[in-house]
């Protein structure tokens, strides 16, 4: 297991380097000059040139990229152009809320999706199965921003049941009410795909010999479904959950912007809009690292669910 994790980490490093290179190149073509932003609109040309020289913006782009990578390896992500704070400091204040939002969305989506998919499989062809599948298709078809707008309009604004803007604090310090709507918005788009794949996987397992043997032993149907059928059907579902959890990072950007959630996604959007290149690069790097880490955790979970994966 340790060798497998080390191997995946080594593979992830070139991927992260490629993401940083693409991000660096894309930000270079943005029609904005960081030196001009720092100097202000009324600055003289000499002042702007001096700032460009100080920041190293007068050097060739490959040289700038190599210097940036060396700074990243030292843990120096630069200083924000807008706030003049260290990028690591700003990221440190936003990583916690983003992790909180991601975990909240997953804790909402995964149990609901597994339960609905298993219920649909057990009641195959009945009215419950049809209702759950219709709900799943509707969930897949609706984008994150549409679900968020519905929750903001009705649950937050019209009915006044929950706060829908900002973060009042950590979950353990009275911040749970402000987390519910963003987490539900982020997790709602996952329930449909998880439920549909769970239904298909459980239906395949229910016809297996070990399930018939478990029933022949006189075990309760609940034990047969949960302990025998569902666990053995989780391998493809875990694959989907891992992929969807990684893509949740994109949904987190939209969700954090809609709900004014102080996370990395909102920080990245604000940095790109304001041409704050160091902050944008740092935020994108963190999101890419989170994507790679989630894929690594999925591989480790494979081995836990099916030890044959490690032997193969």
């Amino acid at each position: 297991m340790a060798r497998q994790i080390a191997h995946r980490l080594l593979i992830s490093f070139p991927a992260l380097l490629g993401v940083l290179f693409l991000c660096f190149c894309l930000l270079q073509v943005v029609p904005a000059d960081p030196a001009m932003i720092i100097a202000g609109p009324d600055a003289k040309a000499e002042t702007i040139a001096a700032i460009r020289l100080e920041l190293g913006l007068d050097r060739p782009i490959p040289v700038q990229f190599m210097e940036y990578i060396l700074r990243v390896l030292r843990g120096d992500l630069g200083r924000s152009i807008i706030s003049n704070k260290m990028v690591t400091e700003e990221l440190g204040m936003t990583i916690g809320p983003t992790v909180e939002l991601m975990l909240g969305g997953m804790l909402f989506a995964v149990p609901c999706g597994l339960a609905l998919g298993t219920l649909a499989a057990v009641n195959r062809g009945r009215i419950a199965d049809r209702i759950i599948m219709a709900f799943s298709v509707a969930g897949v078809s609706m984008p994150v921003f549409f679900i968020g707008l519905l929750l903001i309009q009705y649950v937050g604004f019209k009915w006044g049941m929950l706060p829908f803007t900002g973060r009042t604090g950590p979950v353990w310090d009275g911040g749970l009410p402000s987390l519910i709507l963003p987490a539900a918005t982020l997790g709602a788009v996952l329930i449909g795909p998880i439920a549909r794949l769970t239904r298909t996987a459980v239906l395949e397992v229910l016809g297996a010999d070990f399930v018939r043997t478990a029933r022949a032993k006189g075990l309760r149907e609940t034990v047969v479904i949960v302990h025998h059928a569902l666990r053995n059907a989780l391998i493809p579902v875990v694959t989907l959950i891992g992929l969807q959890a990684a893509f949740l990072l994109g949904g987190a950007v939209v969700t954090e912007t809609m709900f004014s959630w102080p996370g990395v996604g909102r920080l990245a959007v604000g940095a790109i809009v304001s041409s704050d290149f160091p902050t944008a690069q740092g935020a994108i790097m963190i999101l890419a690292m989170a994507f790679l880490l989630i894929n690594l955790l999925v591989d480790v979970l494979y081995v836990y669910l099916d030890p044959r994966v490690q032997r193969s």
Side-chain angles (χ1 to χ4, degrees), residues 25-296:
C25 292
L26 289 175
L27 290 177
Q28 296 301 317
V29 301
V30 174
D33 189 353
M36 187 176 295
I37 296 174
I38 295 174
D42 301 326
K44 297 181 179 180
E46 295 80 4
T47 304
I48 297 175
I51 295 176
R52 289 183 59 85
L53 181 63
E54 181 183 355
L55 297 177
L57 299 177
D58 59 327
R59 301 172 185 174
I61 291 179
V63 176
Q64 295 184 42
F65 178 70
M66 290 305 300
E67 291 178 348
Y68 174 70
I69 293 299
L70 291 176
R71 291 198 305 269
V72 169
L73 292 177
R74 295 196 303 266
D76 181 12
L77 300 181
R79 188 176 293 273
S80 171
I81 296 175
I82 304 301
S83 65
N84 200 32
K85 295 181 180 179
M86 297 299 296
V87 174
T88 52
E89 181 183 350
E90 292 199 333
L91 289 174
M93 294 186 296
T94 56
I95 290 176
T98 295
V99 172
E100 194 175 87
L101 179 60
M102 292 281 295
L103 291 177
M106 293 299 295
L107 288 175
F108 173 71
V110 173
C112 291
L114 292 177
L116 290 175
T118 305
L119 183 62
V122 173
N123 295 277
R124 180 182 181 181
R126 301 175 184 174
I127 185 65
D129 181 22
R130 296 175 182 176
I131 292 176
I132 292 173
M133 287 301 100
F135 172 78
S136 301
V137 172
V140 172
S141 305
M142 289 189 294
V144 175
F145 69 88
F146 181 73
I147 298 174
L149 289 175
L150 288 178
L151 292 177
I152 290 174
Q153 174 65 24
Y154 291 99
V155 181
F157 182 74
K158 189 173 181 179
W159 300 335
M161 298 174 61
L162 292 168
F164 57 92
T165 179
R167 177 175 179 259
T168 57
V171 174
W172 58 87
D173 192 21
L176 180 60
S178 62
L179 175 66
I180 293 177
L181 287 186
T185 300
L186 192 61
V189 295
L190 290 186
I191 295 178
I194 293 175
R196 295 175 66 184
L197 187 58
T198 301
R199 176 184 181 273
T200 302
V202 171
L203 284 175
E204 292 179 358
V205 173
L206 284 177
D209 293 337
F210 63 87
V211 174
R212 288 194 292 267
T213 302
R215 285 172 173 162
K217 290 180 178 179
L219 297 178
R220 291 181 301 173
E221 188 67 14
T222 304
V223 176
V224 173
I225 296 298
V226 176
H227 184 70
H228 294 275
L230 183 58
R231 176 168 180 173
N232 287 276
L234 279 181
I235 289 291
V237 179
V238 167
T239 304
L240 176 67
I241 293 174
L243 292 174
Q244 293 294 329
F247 284 111
L248 268 186
L249 294 169
V253 174
V254 179
T255 305
E256 290 177 359
T257 304
M258 291 179 60
F259 289 91
S260 298
W261 191 262
V264 178
R266 184 166 176 252
L267 179 67
V269 171
I272 294 172
V273 170
S274 59
S275 300
D276 188 353
F277 295 161
T279 304
Q281 290 170 341
I284 293 173
M285 184 188 70
I286 291 298
L287 293 175
M289 290 176 62
F291 190 97
L292 296 172
L293 178 61
I294 290 172
N295 286 323
L296 176 62

